Amino acid sequence: MTTLHEIEMTINSHVDVCQVRYEGIEREFRGINARLKRIESRALTVGGTIIVLLLGVLGAMVKILLDVVAR
């Protein structure tokens, strides 16, 4: 029969192992979160650039159309 002291030691060792495991998981999550923030920033920058370029193209097309209509 196991004693209370043995059970307590088993639980304490389990807690220690879990603590190390969860610290590793937390470190990984922080790294992933930082990478996702960088990806999000780049996606917003690229999206904004595309929108500005499309507005420029649209403006050029409207100018050409107005020039053609004015003739």
Side-chain angles (χ1 to χ4, degrees):
M1 181 171 185
T2 57
T3 65
L4 181 60
H5 180 68
E6 291 172 341
I7 292 172
E8 200 172 286
M9 285 178 39
T10 302
I11 290 173
N12 286 339
S13 68
H14 175 76
V15 168
D16 292 340
V17 168
C18 286
Q19 180 181 359
V20 170
R21 181 180 303 139
Y22 286 120
E23 285 172 356
I25 291 170
E26 188 175 336
R27 240 187 336 271
E28 283 293 316
F29 278 149
R30 276 193 232 121
I32 291 169
N33 191 30
R35 283 183 288 223
L36 286 174
K37 284 183 180 183
R38 283 194 302 269
I39 290 170
E40 179 184 13
S41 174
R42 288 180 184 167
L44 288 173
T45 301
V46 168
T49 303
I50 290 172
I51 289 171
V52 169
L53 287 173
L54 288 175
L55 287 173
V57 169
L58 181 63
M61 291 173 65
V62 167
K63 184 177 184 253
I64 291 171
L65 181 64
L66 288 175
D67 288 343
V68 169
V69 170
R71 288 184 190 178

